[in-house]
């Protein structure tokens, strides 16, 4: 493990994990759930405590440091944490809160008292905690098995209250070995962990394959676009994980003549988009591999050498994946693509991805309603009972490859036609002045939805409505219902703690936002769009229109 000037061998990591595992067994109250909350940035103590939990048969709940007040306390309480591991930098988050963990079981890893606590366990070895050799006569922990809970990782929380997905040691190991095999992970590889470890991306897709392949890991406390290449060169990093917004941050850094002077050979993540992935490969010489597989583990897609550009892959072995109508459960027609790979029949081909076969979904901690919602039938006839419903929109091409089309929450219905926000985003991403694009629905004053796009403009760029109209007219795959009614311009898109675009925040404000908004009035006509500033008089008149049709409440969803 590498972190700044610190470098630990595999042996030193194992010894450090064993000491922490012994301390964990000593501190856990009798009868308590063996759960520990970890409220840390990506510092060496994070993987050490992940390893300690594994040795002791305990589970780590990744606590998100961007949560605040009652919401932060709720996460700790909801996951029944008997121990909380944190650092001085995050103590202000806990100050003044009524915590479910007593002070003597809150360990501050950069406090001298913490080192004193660990000292009696420095001679511990892996296995001591369940072989009856724990200090002070404490009863040994149960030997971990593949079914032992290992992770309680919260969903990103961009669309509602976060849920804690359960991941066992067996599922984590399976994910690590699968990715290590796919990417050919070797002992001389270095996995750069710059995505936050309180989320599954860094742990399941970064740390686990490094363990399985015997590779090293290099930690970055928090993601930094400007520090990315210097870190990669410093640590000799060969692999990293990402989310789409992080890729946009990297592409927004000033180009340099040495952009390809680095040892990276692979990047693995989600939601980069075809345009940004192509730009990244062209600039940095690294192919980004888009994957699909959530923290819940209910469905997974795998790439093969013949996976076409823009597709994610085919179903993992043993999984029966299909794209279905969320209302009826009926499988939808295959997508028709033109020679450039553009979708021609999105209204009939885009639906929810379901797994009708064996699923590795292990449920949500203390949330039976959310667990049942993932697996029960959703239609009046209960079609799809027992399936795993992903909550994600996809389409499937004639050759059986699956293409991501967005989240079910990102579905729009415009003039009775179903659209997917991600499909529109992929088109608007070609607009040169924009560094990022987010599309979401705004309720129509009368029926259905209207399209709103938020554009993050490059430094110095100014939105030119005529130029934007010309751009839209030049896009052959922009359907007649896809052009945005509203365009919001921002310096940067809002993101969640896991660097995903915070669409829920954008939806909540809609056109009632402080940033400039341009709109194409309702009387623009079918011949094309003409954008003008959306002023206070426009806003008042439009809100009155909503009120007249008793739909103003929909703006609060």
């Amino acid at each position: 493990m590498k972190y700044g000037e610190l470098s630990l061998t595999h042996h030193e990591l194992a010894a450090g994990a064993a000491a922490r595992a012994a301390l964990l067994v000593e501190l856990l109250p009798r009868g308590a759930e063996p759960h520990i909350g970890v409220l840390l940035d990506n510092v060496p103590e994070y993987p050490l405590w992940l390893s300690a939990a594994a040795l002791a048969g305990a589970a780590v709940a990744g606590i998100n440091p961007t949560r605040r007040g009652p919401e932060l306390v709720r996460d700790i309480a909801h996951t029944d944490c008997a121990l909380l591991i944190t650092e001085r930098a995050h103590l202000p988050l806990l100050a003044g809160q009524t915590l479910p963990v007593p002070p003597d079981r809150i360990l501050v890893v950069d406090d001298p008292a913490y080192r004193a606590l660990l000292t009696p366990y420095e001679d511990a070895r892996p296995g001591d905690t369940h072989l009856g050799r724990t200090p002070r006569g404490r009863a040994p922990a149960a030997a971990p098995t593949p079914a032992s809970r290992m992770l309680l990782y919260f969903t990103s929380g961009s669309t509602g209250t976060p849920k804690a997905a359960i991941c066992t040691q067996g599922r984590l190991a399976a994910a690590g070995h699968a990715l290590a095999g796919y990417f050919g992970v070797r002992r001389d590889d270095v996995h750069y962990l710059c995505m936050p470890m309180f989320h599954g991306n860094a742990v399941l897709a970064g740390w686990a394959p490094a363990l399985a392949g015997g590779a090293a890991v290099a930690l970055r406390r928090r993601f930094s676009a400007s520090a990315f290449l210097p870190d990669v060169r410093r640590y000799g990093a060969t692999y990293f994980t990402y989310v789409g917004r992080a890729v946009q941050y990297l592409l927004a850094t000033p180009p340099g003549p040495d952009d390809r002077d680095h040892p990276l050979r692979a990047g693995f993540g989600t939601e980069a988009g075809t345009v940004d992935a192509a730009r990244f490969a062209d600039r940095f010489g690294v192919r980004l591999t888009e994957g699909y597989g959530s923290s819940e583990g209910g469905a997974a897609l795998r790439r093969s050498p013949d996976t076409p550009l823009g597709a994610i892959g085919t179903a993992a072995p043993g999984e029966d994946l299909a794209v279905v109508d969320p209302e009826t459960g009926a499988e939808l027609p295959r997508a028709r693509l033109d020679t450039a790979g553009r979708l021609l029949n999105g209204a009939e081909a885009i639906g929810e991805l379901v797994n009708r076969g064996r699923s590795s979904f292990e449920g949500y901690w203390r949330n039976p309603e959310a667990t049942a919602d993932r697996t029960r039938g959703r239609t009046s006839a209960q079609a799809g009972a027992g399936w795993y419903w992903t909550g994600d929109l996809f389409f499937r091409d004639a050759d059986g490859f699956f293409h991501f089309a967005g989240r079910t929450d990102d579905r729009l219905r415009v003039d009775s036609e179903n659209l997917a926000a991600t499909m529109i985003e992929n088109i608007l991403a070609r607009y040169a002045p924009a560094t990022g694009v987010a599309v979401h629905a705004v309720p129509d004053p009368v029926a259905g939805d209207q399209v709103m796009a938020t554009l993050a403009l490059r430094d110095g760029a100014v939105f030119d409505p005529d130029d934007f109209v010309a751009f839209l007219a030049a896009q052959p795959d922009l359907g007649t219902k896809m052009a945005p009614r509203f365009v919001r311009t921002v310096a940067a898109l809002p993101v969640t703690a896991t660097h995903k675009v915070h669409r829920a925040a954008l939806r909540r404000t809609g056109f009632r936002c402080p940033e400039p908004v341009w709109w194409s009035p309702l009387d623009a006509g079918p011949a094309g769009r003409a954008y003008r500033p959306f002023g206070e008089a426009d806003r008042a008149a439009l809100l009155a229109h909503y009120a007249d049709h008793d739909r103003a409440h929909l703006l609060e969803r």
Side-chain angles (χ1 to χ4, degrees), residues 205-294:
W207 183 64
L211 285 180
V217 294
L219 306 178
R220 176 80 194 176
R221 174 178 276 274
R222 294 179 185 174
F223 173 77
S224 166
S226 61
F228 181 82
L229 277 182
D231 272 358
V232 163
R233 295 177 183 126
R234 174 185 191 177
Y235 297 125
T238 57
Y239 170 98
F240 75 106
T241 64
Y242 63 85
V243 294
R245 188 57 183 153
V247 171
Q248 292 177 356
Y249 286 140
L250 291 170
L251 290 171
T253 58
D258 57 350
D259 279 346
R260 291 191 171 212
D261 180 17
H262 58 73
L264 276 179
R265 64 182 180 88
F268 179 67
T270 60
E271 300 179 12
T274 0
V275 173
D276 284 345
R279 290 174 179 166
F280 195 91
D282 182 63
R283 177 173 166 183
F284 298 107
V286 179
R287 179 186 174 189
L288 300 181
T289 299
E290 285 282 297
Y292 179 81
S294 65

Side-chain angles (χ1 to χ4, degrees), residues 296 361 364 370-376 378 387-391:
E296 291 91 336
F361 175 55
Y364 298 109
T371 299
D373 186 58
R374 286 290 185 195
T375 54
R376 73 170 186 261
R378 295 188 179 178
W387 296 353
Y388 177 81
W389 294 76
T390 66

Side-chain angles (χ1 to χ4, degrees), residues 3-236:
Y3 179 77
E5 299 302 317
L6 176 69
S7 180
L8 298 181
T9 65
H10 281 77
H11 178 81
E12 289 169 327
L13 271 170
R20 286 157 181 80
L23 175 62
L24 169 59
V25 171
E26 180 72 20
L27 293 179
L28 276 177
R30 296 186 187 277
E33 293 289 353
H35 296 175
I36 58 174
V38 177
L39 177 60
L40 297 171
D41 290 332
N42 287 11
V43 295
E45 289 287 343
Y46 212 126
L48 280 165
W49 275 99
L50 283 171
S51 304
L55 293 175
V60 165
I63 307 300
N64 181 345
T66 68
R67 303 266 283 169
R68 294 292 184 271
E71 294 302 316
L72 182 73
V73 174
R74 177 259 174 203
D75 292 349
I76 298 169
H78 176 70
T79 45
D80 295 306
C81 294
L83 199 66
L84 181 64
I85 314 299
T86 189
E87 55 184 316
R88 287 174 175 172
H90 294 320
L91 288 180
L93 301 178
L94 307 175
Q97 302 298 323
T98 303
L99 298 174
V101 180
D104 61 338
R105 283 191 265 120
I106 298 176
L107 308 187
V108 183
V109 299
D110 47 0
D111 188 293
Y114 173 72
R115 302 310 310 176
L117 274 177
L118 279 175
T119 299
Y121 308 97
E122 288 179 346
D123 61 346
R125 293 293 179 266
D128 283 359
T129 53
H130 56 86
L131 292 177
R133 293 197 295 269
T134 54
R136 305 181 191 176
R138 186 67 180 238
T145 71
S148 298
R149 285 191 300 273
M150 172 68 202
L151 305 172
L152 297 172
Y153 266 156
F154 288 102
T155 55
S156 64
S158 61
T159 57
T161 301
K163 301 180 289 290
I166 298 170
C167 178
T168 60
Q169 292 209 26
R171 183 158 75 85
L172 179 66
H177 283 286
L179 285 173
Y182 179 83
F183 286 103
V185 177
R186 305 179 300 263
R187 293 184 65 83
D188 57 351
D189 278 317
V190 178
H191 288 201
Y192 181 52
L193 305 186
C194 55
M195 295 290 99
M197 294 190 75
F198 62 76
H199 192 258
N201 175 293
V203 175
L204 274 79
W207 183 64
L211 285 180
V217 294
L219 306 178
R220 176 80 194 176
R221 174 178 276 274
R222 294 179 185 174
F223 173 77
S224 166
S226 61
F228 181 82
L229 277 182
D231 272 358
V232 163
R233 295 177 183 126
R234 174 185 191 177
Y235 297 125

Side-chain angles (χ1 to χ4, degrees), residues 482-493:
M482 291 183 178
R485 179 73 67 186
F486 300 93
V487 177
R488 174 182 183 177
T489 57
V490 297
L493 294 174

Side-chain angles (χ1 to χ4, degrees), residues 456-488:
L457 299 179
R458 299 185 184 282
D459 289 342
V462 176
F463 182 73
D464 182 332
D466 294 332
D467 178 59
F468 187 67
V469 168
F471 162 78
L472 294 177
Q475 308 310 307
D477 50 340
L478 186 75
T480 58
K481 311 294 185 185
M482 291 183 178
R485 179 73 67 186
F486 300 93
V487 177
R488 174 182 183 177

